[in-house]
Amino acid sequence: MAREDLEIAKAEWQELANEIRKHDEAYYGEDAPHISDADYDSLRQRLLQLEQKFPSLAVADSPSRKVSGASSGRFPKSHHKQPMLSLDNAFTDGDVQDFVKRVMKFLGLDTMPVFIAEPKIDGLSANLLYRDGKLVSGATRGDGQVGEDITENLKTLDDIPLDITGAPAEIEIRGEVYMEKNDFAALNKRQLEKGEKPFANPRNAAAGSLRQLDVAITKARPLRFFAYATGVVSDDFAESQWDILQRFSQWGFQVNPLTRKCKSVEAMIAHYREIESQRAALPFDIDGVVYKVDDLAFQHRLGAVSRFPRWAMAHKFPAEKATTIVQDIEIQVGRTGALTPVARLEPVTVGGVVVSNATLHNEDEIVRKDIRIGDSVVIQRAGDVIPQIVEVIKSKRAKNAKAYIFPKTCPVCGSAAVREHNAKTGKEDAVRRCTGGLVCPAQAMERLKHFVSRKALDIDGLGAKQIELFYAKGLVKEPADIFTLEERNKTSLARLENMEGFGKTSVANLFAAINARRTAPLSRFIYALGIRHVGESNARLLARNFGSFEKFANIAKCARGDEESMAEFLSIDGIGEAVAEAVINFFAEDHNIEALERLMKEVSPTPEKEQKTDSPVAGKTIVFTGSLAQMTRDEAKAQALSLGAKVSGSVSKKTDIVVAGPGAGSKLKKAEELGVQTMSESEWRELVAPFL
Ligand code: IVH
């Protein structure tokens, strides 16, 4: 494999990862999605494709390994006793067939095991912990490991029993909190009457209603709950998913009545079609069907890959569509100068949500789909705010429909906007960028917004709105200005305290929040600079590796043309040429260096802490060779990966352990030659068993 291919893939991966994290934050942190589920799914699919092709990209903090969902910080944290996983998606009948085949192969079965098919409820999942039959805590999913403790809110739901009899001494019961469509419509009507903002869809309404600090508000909202899974259980009480659902029902939970046992792929797909045909008429929103291996012993053996169980799969419904008219096309200028076209649409309702914008991605997309102003278009969304245009209805094209001419200059600063030539791919970049750099107010402002954003400096009380205001007033033009604001405010004629929206206390709080971030972790500072390709995970790699800002900056400044410094960058596991080049380019600009010097006078980033994992194989590279007797090869690999190890197909100096079964040949020999540790299948099982 050419190194260049990997580099190109890595750059694309990084952009995708950043994008996915951004959407995760919008979706889970703010209950306000920016793109359609379908678009989100395709970003994730592409990320997975890249990781499958280039396994080195699947780093530990890849969004592919994480269950999305940051916590809002409003509620205390709650650690799930067992992680709350997400579900892998199937979109076609073929995907379902492949899933069943994979399950059979993993388990080494000749006949198909029974599957349970349940509707996939479009709400938010909750984890309920019962001890000795009493509900003791309830939490949101959060990032899968840690959610928000919303016990008191969950207790207000009629569908959640406070006491259950005949259950194991300790049991986590999981399910979906949702709002019925009728209740949602009535709630929105009440919201409007009260002059409050309506919710975009029942899912957002359920999330917003549940995460209320005032429990009385939650109690007054029509929330419901379907139970569908367990987390930790102290004693076995069921042998199958079907049994679990029966017991849930006996304990007083609602379980979805559209649940079926399926003994063939045809039966699974038939049930999916049946549910799909009833979808619009159902009282609640669903976005697909979940298939689960029924037998719990099989589920246990199948285990999970990063964020998904191997024993379950969500078969998604196609996105909802509607037709409308493109009234205009506008350009938004982002932090990196990217010009992104957005279609302004005649407002139309798609699946209960009013839509008036669609993203057009880039100029080629407009040409490819031949989208003109005045065109009738088919748009699609699935639980989103900004949907996408699927196609133009050419038969309805008006004579005066105007082809859109993509600007060659930045609409904000007037600088030339160009499409860079990518030397590696030999192709023109899809994105046109403003060349205005620091003179472009749109870029400068977006960069400042990025600098203070949640994953960057995360300054309380200093968000996008305040940055826009301070920038417009000329108070903050670059990051250092944020930290000198307090000093300058003391002698200013236009004091912040006198500005609209600010008071004495809020200004004092703002300065305290700013001062508190003078010592934020180094990785946050590096991320906050907004260097291309340097997302959260690369920032962390750089911070861990260099330890101090000075060292990072010095090497970055020297690396142009200096092989040793460049080699130092590239020797960081996970940092490739695209990232190194972007960092070097950033430090090659005098104005960046000057702005950084001013910033560094104000702040002292703190070095990173090392992460520790307790498994003996974490971070090690394992090779399995020969035949295994007690598990399939897939199962063995899965175990290793779940313990934080890397699995490789070939033995090299970088290999740490070779697990060799009978019939092992050249790989075992090579391991012995290289002095790599080798062990038998039983030794491997003994080593890892305590950590599984
Ligand atoms: S089972 C380990 N069953 O879908 C499997 N999930 O995309 C855990 N969901 O987080 C999930 N209906 O919020 C399961 N019948 C159902 C579901 C369901 C909706 C949600 C749940 C989960 C998400 C995964």
Side-chain angles (χ1 to χ4, degrees), residues 274-287:
E274 166 71 22
I275 292 182
E276 188 182 18
S277 71
Q278 294 185 33
R279 184 180 184 189
L282 291 177
F284 43 80
D285 271 348
I286 57 174
D287 57 354

Side-chain angles (χ1 to χ4, degrees), residues 25 49 52 164 184 210 241 259 264 306 366 390 442:
E25 170 139 353
Q49 254 177 12
Q52 263 158 19
I164 55 180
F184 160 71
L210 191 59
Q241 169 70 6
T259 302
S264 67
S306 55
I366 303 178
V390 185

Side-chain angles (χ1 to χ4, degrees), residues 474-520:
L475 289 171
V476 174
K477 295 203 202 75
E478 60 171 51
D481 297 342
I482 293 170
F483 296 96
T484 58
L485 198 58
E486 184 173 12
E487 262 324 291
R488 285 182 287 132
N489 191 54
K490 287 180 185 156
T491 53
S492 164
L493 290 176
R495 298 191 53 157
L496 280 187
E497 290 85 340
N498 304 326
M499 281 187 203
E500 207 187 306
F502 288 94
K504 238 186 158 142
T505 328
S506 67
V507 171
N509 288 344
L510 175 64
F511 290 146
I514 291 174
N515 290 331
R517 301 308 272 161
R518 287 181 194 267
T519 53

